[in-house]
Amino acid sequence: MKTYFQATQVNDRVYWVGAIDWSIRNFHGYATDRGSTYNAYLILADKVTLVDTVKAPFLEEMLVRIASVIDPRKIDYIISNHSEMDHSGCLPQAIQAVKPEKVFASVMGTKALQEHFHLDREISEVKDGESLSLGNLNLTFLETRMLHWPDSMVTYLAEDKLLFSQDAFGMHLASSERFADQIEDWILNYEAAKYYANILLPFSALVSKLLERVKGLGITIETIAPDHGPIWRKEVSRMPKLYATWAAQRPTNKAVVVYDTMWQSTALMARTIAEGLRAGGTMTKLMPLESCHRSEVVTEVLDAGALLVGSPTINNNMFPTVAGTLAYLKGLKPKNLMGTAFGSYGWSGEAVGQVMEVLAEMKIDLIGDGLKVKYVPDESVLAECFSLGSRVAEKLGKVSS
Ligand code: FEO
């Protein structure tokens, strides 16, 4: 490993020294179909500084990449922007290997790191807005509490106009390329949206406030170095602009129809509702849970205006896959949606009512009382399904941007 794993130069004195996780497909319940990276950055200042570390199993990869630039024992400071273990998991071992003079984290971060690792050394607190001299360079720390953990902060390297943005503006994307301008746009846009939807969506109001705050500070950012995925050295305004759009959650003329099925009746209802939506001019995503993961569903919901949920009734309850997806969606708090429920049943048919209750708890603007059918839909029920789709399309056309 020693010879072959190299750092990537970001500028004259900043290097990417992270790790690439080509195999991860489940990131605490989020389907990471393209793997991920855990980014750490080395700053060759008078005080040599490491910004963030990597997930525990990748310690050696990080140290070897650092060693391709400088002896890791020459590192003076380690900054921990975020204590979640994909960025701090190897911190205790990294401290042992590097023996830094100081380790810095936010006020909440110092507590969180101790609560994770029970370290026998002090972590130095840095406060919101505080600066740290590295001798010839200066770092400034901005707390970003609840974006997305209480300890989260970002670090700005003023002389290079470079923002170490921690999880923000990142994406789960393993690649040989380290810079966004080397990767196809459609992949970047999809994976960034998926990351926002699955991680940051519930904190959208804080995202909007933070973007305003950064604008108010008048700082120039020429490079964004996040903790996952590629580094932005060109078109740096793209991610902040997309974040502003996603945080606003303005409804668009797009509907997501998510469902599961036992004997294809609920599936047939879903497909017929989708025909009604499409005929009404609404862009429609049909998402059978047999083949779509819940993290893909919320990615599509991110810019949708309507959410229609189909579930058969099984043992007096909604289908387990639908229940799991709704629990996930509810936690992510999407806003400004209209929606309804539908499904087939055999005996008592509780599922549709249960789904409507969850949609109401999610503050979704309900359309109708839900549509249910005993066993198999006939032509008249399919006509109702089509009509339901048309009705949602008409309503959505009036409110969407
Ligand atoms: Fe990438 Fe919140 O850790």
Side-chain angles (χ1 to χ4, degrees):
M1 197 175 230
K2 270 196 168 54
T3 323
Y4 302 111
F5 286 70
Q6 300 282 312
T8 300
Q9 196 158 4
V10 178
N11 66 24
D12 289 349
R13 50 205 170 190
V14 176
Y15 291 79
W16 174 87
V17 289
I20 307 171
D21 190 344
W22 294 97
S23 62
I24 189 168
R25 291 295 179 270
N26 179 348
F27 193 97
H28 58 52
Y30 164 167
T32 48
D33 300 332
R34 290 189 169 94
S36 194
T37 67
Y38 314 113
N39 298 338
Y41 298 95
L42 182 69
I43 308 171
L44 294 188
D46 291 345
K47 289 286 187 186
V48 177
T49 299
L50 179 65
V51 179
D52 285 320
T53 62
V54 297
K55 206 172 175 179
F58 295 88
L59 169 73
E60 190 188 0
E61 182 173 338
M62 180 187 77
L63 290 176
V64 169
R65 290 193 198 277
I66 293 170
S68 74
V69 181
I70 193 170
D71 182 342
R73 286 168 298 186
K74 294 209 165 126
I75 290 173
D76 298 292
Y77 295 159
I78 298 180
I79 312 287
S80 171
N81 275 329
H82 181 22
S83 54
E84 192 163 10
M85 284 194 279
D86 47 335
H87 310 298
S88 70
C90 76
L91 184 63
Q93 292 74 27
I95 289 171
Q96 268 183 355
V98 167
K99 298 193 175 39
E101 185 186 324
K102 285 192 166 183
V103 179
F104 297 94
S106 68
V107 176
M108 298 299 280
T110 59
K111 293 188 178 76
L113 289 173
Q114 286 299 353
E115 285 158 0
H116 275 81
F117 302 112
H118 316 292
L119 300 163
D120 57 6
R121 64 166 290 155
E122 189 197 353
I123 306 290
S124 307
E125 284 180 2
V126 290
K127 296 200 166 50
D128 184 41
E130 191 175 328
S131 290
L132 173 70
S133 170
L134 306 183
N136 57 332
L137 302 175
N138 292 283
L139 297 177
T140 302
F141 306 102
L142 290 183
E143 276 188 355
T144 57
R145 283 193 192 198
M146 296 318 298
L147 290 174
H148 68 118
W149 273 26
D151 59 278
S152 301
M153 69 175 188
V154 296
T155 298
Y156 181 63
L157 173 55
E159 286 78 3
D160 292 350
K161 301 181 174 57
L162 189 156
L163 183 71
F164 299 103
S165 64
Q166 179 244 122
D167 278 341
F169 309 129
M171 63 189 76
H172 287 308
L173 174 61
S175 60
S176 298
E177 301 78 16
R178 295 276 62 79
F179 297 98
D181 51 276
Q182 299 168 318
I183 298 170
E184 288 175 85
D185 275 348
W186 68 273
I187 295 176
L188 296 173
N189 290 345
Y190 179 77
E191 292 301 340
K194 190 173 186 184
Y195 193 90
Y196 187 95
N198 283 277
I199 303 284
L200 293 165
L201 184 58
F203 311 111
S204 287
L206 294 174
V207 171
S208 302
K209 272 192 198 156
L210 179 68
L211 291 172
E212 283 304 311
R213 185 182 172 204
V214 171
K215 204 192 273 181
L217 290 174
I219 57 175
T220 307
I221 297 171
E222 291 181 354
T223 306
I224 296 177
D227 271 359
H228 298 289
I231 298 158
W232 294 81
R233 60 184 174 184
K234 294 180 183 170
E235 234 198 307
V236 286
S237 62
R238 192 204 299 189
M239 282 297 115
K241 275 185 195 159
L242 284 171
Y243 270 43
T245 303
W246 293 329
Q249 290 181 77
R250 287 191 196 91
T252 65
N253 194 0
K254 169 183 168 185
V256 175
V257 183
V258 57
Y259 65 95
D260 212 333
T261 195
M262 290 172 72
W263 293 104
Q264 298 303 317
S265 288
T266 303
L268 181 57
M269 293 176 83
R271 289 161 54 208
T272 312
I273 290 168
E275 291 298 320
L277 283 159
R278 275 196 288 269
T282 293
M283 188 173 94
T284 304
K285 289 275 178 184
L286 212 58
M287 307 198 81
L289 288 171
E290 188 184 357
S291 52
C292 297
H293 191 268
R294 58 179 178 263
S295 49
E296 293 164 19
V297 174
V298 71
T299 307
E300 294 298 340
V301 167
L302 178 63
D303 64 351
L307 174 65
L308 295 89
V309 181
S311 177
T313 297
I314 183 166
N315 300 328
N316 307 108
N317 276 292
M318 70 176 92
F319 214 62
T321 49
V322 177
T325 299
L326 281 178
Y328 191 70
L329 283 172
K330 187 178 165 188
L332 290 168
K333 299 186 175 71
K335 290 194 170 51
N336 303 328
L337 290 167
M338 60 180 73
T340 194
F342 59 93
S344 159
Y345 67 98
W347 298 271
S348 44
E350 290 91 342
V352 168
Q354 291 168 359
V355 171
M356 290 295 274
E357 277 175 29
V358 179
L359 297 181
E361 287 164 14
M362 290 170 67
K363 300 191 172 46
I364 287 177
D365 181 11
L366 297 180
I367 299 169
D369 302 321
L371 181 56
K372 59 184 182 179
V373 62
K374 193 162 187 188
Y375 291 124
V376 177
D378 62 9
E379 282 303 316
S380 71
V381 173
L382 293 180
E384 279 186 70
C385 291
F386 187 89
S387 164
L388 177 61
S390 306
R391 203 145 43 97
V392 174
E394 191 185 349
K395 219 173 155 189
L396 198 49
K398 286 180 189 158
V399 300
S400 59
S401 51

